[in-house]
Structure formats: C-alpha cells, structure tokens
Amino acid sequence: MVFAALILGGLLVVLDITIINVAIRTLARDLAVSLPVIQWVSTGYTLALAMTVPTSAWLVGRFGVRRVYVGALGGFVLGSVLCGLAWDIGSLIAFRVLQGVGGGLVQPVGMMIVLRATPPERRGRAMGLLGLPVLVGPVLGPTLGGWLVEISWRWIFLVNLPVGLAALLLAARALRPFNGSASGAAAAAGGAVGDRATGPRLDVAGLALVAPGLALFVFGLAESGRLGTVASSSVVVPALVGIAMVAGFVVRALKTPAPLVRITLLGRRAVASGAVTLVLFSSAYFGSMLVLPLYWQVARGLSPAETGMLGIPQALATGLSLQVASRLVDRLQPARVVGFGITLAASGLLAAVLLLDANTPYWQLMLAMSVTGVGAGSTIMPTITTALRNLDDRDSPSGSTLLNITSQVGVSIGTAATSVVLASGLASRGLAAVLAGGDAGGGSDTAVPGAGPAQVAVDVAAGFAAACRTTLGVPLVLMAGALVAALTVLPRRASQTSTAVVEG
C-alpha cells in the first residue's frame, strides 16, 4: 500500500507535466496570448518547484513524512482545480505556482519514505518501483492531453481531481506508520522524521538565500531559452545573482549547526559522484528531449497529439529499462550499470544525429530515441539509488533534497543550452520566426527567388532538420562528461552494510 500510494502520487505529477507540454499552443490560442507569455504556465511551475524543493528536508524533520506528503498532494490537487477554473492568463499562472509548490515536494519526500521503508541492499528495487510513473506517465500523458484539449483546455487540469483524491485517500491510510518518530536529538541535527514538538528550527537565513537564489538562476536559464541568447541583461543578471545567493547558502550551511540542507553530505563519495553524474546526464537527456518534438511538428507538420504518440516507444523503453537496471544496481557495480546506460543513451543520440534529415523514416528516429530511452532508464534512477543507498534516517532528507535540486538544475541547464543553440542555428539559416510560432511554410528567407509555397516548405524543413542535428551535439558532449564521471568517481561496490536503524 505504501508503494501504491507513492506510485499514484508520482503518476499524478508526471501526467500533469506531460499533458501541459502537449497543450501549450492550444492554451496560447484559447487565451489569446503569445507563446512567450503562455510559456510562463510552465516557467511559473518550475520556479515554484525550485523554491520548494530545498524546504523538503526541514518540512519532513518538522512535521513528519506522512503530513508533508499528504499536504503536498493536497496542494497539488487544489492547484489543479483552481487552474481548471482560471479566468485569464494571470490567474492561470498564479495557480500553476500553487501546483508547483505541492508538486515540488512529492518526489523528494517519496524518496525519503522509500529509504525508510527498505534496507540498503534492496533500495535499488524499491527505487525502481518509485520510478514506475516514468513508465506510465509519458505514455498516457500526451495521448490523454491531445484528447482532452479537443474538449476544453480546462480538462487538462480538472482530470487531476479524481486521480488526486484517490492518491490522497490511499496515502493518508498507507503512510500512518510514517507519521514521525525520530528522536528530538536526531531531528535537531537535521533529522529525518521529527514531529511538531521536536522538529528542527527553520534555517530562515538559509531559506532566504537558497530558495530565491535557485529561482533566479532557473529564471535566467528560462529567459536564455526563450530569447535564444545568453547575451541579455534579463538572462545574465538574475543568473549571476542566483549563483551568488546559492554560494552564500553553501558557505552558511557549512558553518551553521542546523542548516536547511546538510551540504556536508557532498563530502561522501557516493553522494558527490552521484550529484555530478546526475547533473551532467540530466542536462544532456532532458535537453535532447526538447529537439525531436519540435522537429516532428515544424519539419514534418505533425500535430501535438501525433508527436506525443511518436514518443511512446521511447517512454516504454525508459520505464522498462529502469525496472531492470534498478534491480541490477543492487547486485552489480554501480559504475558498470550506469556507465553502460550512459553509453547506450549516447549511442542512440548519435544515431539520431546521423539519421536526422527532412525525410528520415519515422521508425528510424523512433528506434534511435528508444535506444536513448533504454540508456536513460539505466542511468538516472540507478545513479540516485547509489548516491542515497547508505544514508540513514538522519541524513536521507538532506540527501534526497540535494539530489532533487541537482536534477532540477540539470534539467534547467540542459533545456536552456539546447534552446539557445537551436535558436542560434535557426537564426543563421533565416528561420528565427519558427520558434516564435511560425510554421514550416513561413520561412521564406530560405527559399530561392520565385519558389512557390511547396518549395518554401521543403527548404524550411531541411533547414530546421540541419539546425536540430547541430543542436543535438550539445547533449552528446554533456553525456560524454557524464560517462567520464560515472566511470571514474561512482562507487565500485554494489551495496554496503549500513549502520542505520531501518524502520517500517
């Protein structure tokens, strides 16, 4: 029942993200706003998530994992209903922020529960179960989103209500044994499960540095992706201020006895190596995920729903391989499992680069990206499991928080870098209007004089495909860096004996 509650809660969040991705253009049309404005429906959620994740360790130490998890799900469901009732773009963005506050806690708190519920030698299998939403969500989300959008954009949010209520009821019942039982001493030291009476005090100064610091950094990255350049004050200023604030938080966390997040955990090889590998691979993989959907829609003229269906094989490959690799990492050397996964992901991505043109057969690109999906499933969750495997109840909240922050930063970096390179490539080919909402028939700058609309479309498709090939070189380089990190710094042993008292 515990894992059913965690899987259903995780599925709720993953479904929402994948549905939103399909509905962006429809939202822009129905709300009569431009694409840059409607992107704040996603950006607002991401910023709220970035500000919320750092608080997860303290919230669990103060209120217990059950209260925090149920509260996070409740906030997410409430935000979903309000989004479905939004009356304009401003209210929709505001309610998406509320969704992000709840959604940002679901994954890290779910990891904490898994670490408490399972012994170290079985945590790979347990993390694999926690990753089941990655298998189901990307398969159902795009298809369901395409169907719901045709009825009304409001249903892409209201559909979360029945699923969310079921997740809330199950979590409230199944997580009763996890209501908070850590000792006051452990909680005061940044412990795992403290209750209201004995939980640690909030590191207000640390929160005032890291939460807005991460939000400003992510905002700068999002702006660079939107503008297609890093040479803008709206990109550089918030990013640098954000980095400075996060650096200040790190300095403070190393000195204060009860920090918001225990940065000293990065002194452990498993945690540090996992964080490095995760940030590089997340940047590469999620950055590459931006390119092919745009290629399908712009160069091949497919609808968002059709684009989502073409991604189903990759989603299935990722989810299935995640289940296998998460179990293998309990028995084999983590460096071998993760190294194999990164190599496979890079191989699939390289094949996509070599194959991609304006008329590549669908099955070839789907096969190449499915190979990349197998690699991703064999990398992300095994890396997280290796990093967190031997943390005890006192350290697991900070450990899972650090890994979730790392992952979120990696996704933001990869998406921004890919967007900038793609925008630059399109601009050099006279196709800058494509990312501003143009279609394959609107890039007349690339056509020869006197060419008709059909020839213009062919030229634009070829130019867009060429820009996509160049852009995918960025994720390939990042994956190479992740492979070096995995093979040189990840632990060599499959599991170690933990001295922690495992509850549940």
Side-chain angles (χ1 to χ4, degrees):
M1 287 184 65
V2 168
F3 279 99
L6 298 181
I7 291 167
L8 194 57
L11 178 62
L12 184 69
V13 176
V14 174
L15 272 177
D16 180 79
I17 294 172
T18 54
I19 288 175
I20 287 294
N21 289 339
V22 171
I24 286 295
R25 288 181 178 268
T26 302
L27 285 170
R29 181 196 65 207
D30 291 354
L31 294 173
V33 294
S34 66
L35 282 177
V37 173
I38 206 65
Q39 285 293 341
W40 274 97
V41 173
S42 295
T43 302
Y45 181 94
T46 303
L47 293 179
L49 188 147
M51 295 183 69
T52 303
V53 169
T55 67
S56 56
W58 176 81
L59 287 171
V60 165
R62 187 73 171 86
F63 301 104
V65 289
R66 177 176 177 267
R67 295 188 187 100
V68 176
Y69 192 81
V70 172
L73 282 179
F76 186 87
V77 174
L78 176 61
S80 298
V81 173
L82 291 175
C83 285
L85 301 176
W87 53 90
D88 58 18
I89 184 60
S91 61
L92 179 58
I93 293 172
F95 296 144
R96 279 288 286 171
V97 170
L98 176 59
Q99 264 194 312
V101 171
L105 293 172
V106 170
Q107 182 73 3
V109 177
M111 285 185 181
M112 297 176 203
I113 296 171
V114 168
L115 293 174
R116 287 194 61 208
T118 54
E121 65 274 10
R122 297 190 64 192
R123 285 177 177 170
R125 177 184 177 88
M127 286 291 192
L129 292 175
L130 188 63
L132 277 174
V134 178
L135 169 61
V136 180
V139 175
L140 292 181
T143 305
L144 181 62
W147 178 65
L148 290 173
V149 162
E150 292 182 1
I151 302 173
S152 170
W153 64 265
R154 298 183 184 277
W155 281 103
I156 67 176
F157 301 108
L158 295 176
V159 72
N160 291 334
L161 181 59
V163 181
L165 289 177
L168 276 170
L169 292 173
L170 186 58
R173 179 180 179 185
L175 300 181
R176 284 173 184 164
F178 299 88
N179 201 34
S181 58
S183 68
V193 198
D195 57 27
R196 293 179 69 110
T198 62
R201 292 182 178 179
L202 176 63
D203 179 13
V204 177
L207 180 60
L209 286 170
V210 70
L214 285 173
L216 284 170
F217 179 65
V218 171
F219 172 76
L221 294 176
E223 280 291 281
S224 70
R226 183 180 69 84
L227 298 174
T229 179
V230 295
S232 170
S233 59
S234 64
V235 175
V236 175
V237 173
L240 290 180
V241 172
I243 291 173
M245 294 180 73
V246 172
F249 167 76
V250 171
V251 172
R252 174 182 170 77
L254 293 174
K255 295 180 179 179
T256 187
L260 186 68
V261 180
R262 297 187 62 217
I263 298 295
T264 53
L265 289 178
L266 291 174
R268 302 187 185 187
R269 177 181 175 180
V271 178
S273 61
V276 172
T277 303
L278 190 62
V279 72
L280 289 171
F281 188 82
S282 295
S283 298
Y285 181 66
F286 291 100
S288 70
M289 294 284 284
L290 173 72
V291 177
L292 208 57
L294 288 173
Y295 163 81
W296 291 131
Q297 294 183 54
V298 176
R300 307 302 286 267
L302 301 183
S303 68
E306 291 169 330
T307 298
M309 293 181 68
L310 289 177
I312 289 177
Q314 181 179 355
L316 288 172
T318 302
L320 293 173
S321 64
L322 184 151
Q323 299 304 309
V324 175
S326 295
R327 287 160 173 76
L328 288 177
V329 83
D330 283 339
R331 302 194 301 269
L332 303 178
Q333 293 182 6
R336 289 186 177 181
V337 176
V338 175
F340 171 78
I342 298 174
T343 301
L344 206 58
S347 299
L349 202 56
L350 178 60
V353 171
L354 297 175
L355 291 169
L356 196 148
D357 61 32
N359 300 294
T360 306
Y362 292 108
W363 70 268
Q364 292 184 4
L365 289 178
M366 292 168 66
L367 178 60
M369 294 310 295
S370 294
V371 172
T372 297
V374 173
S378 303
T379 300
I380 296 176
M381 196 58 79
T383 299
I384 293 174
T385 301
T386 301
L388 302 181
R389 181 188 298 280
N390 293 298
L391 297 184
D392 56 23
D393 286 350
R394 175 177 177 270
D395 294 329
S396 63
S398 285
S400 61
T401 298
L402 282 171
L403 268 291
N404 276 277
I405 290 174
T406 298
S407 178
Q408 180 59 44
V409 169
V411 172
S412 299
I413 291 174
T415 302
T418 303
S419 298
V420 169
V421 174
L422 180 58
S424 176
L426 291 175
S428 67
R429 294 170 171 84
L431 298 174
V434 170
L435 289 185
D439 56 28
S444 59
D445 290 344
T446 63
V448 296
Q455 182 60 48
V456 171
V458 170
D459 292 340
V460 170
F464 194 88
C468 288
R469 283 198 304 273
T470 303
T471 302
L472 288 175
V474 175
L476 277 173
V477 172
L478 291 171
M479 281 188 183
L483 181 61
V484 172
L487 295 180
T488 57
V489 298
L490 277 181
R492 297 289 172 178
R493 284 177 287 179
S495 63
Q496 301 170 346
T497 301
S498 174
T499 58
V501 178
V502 180
E503 301 178 12

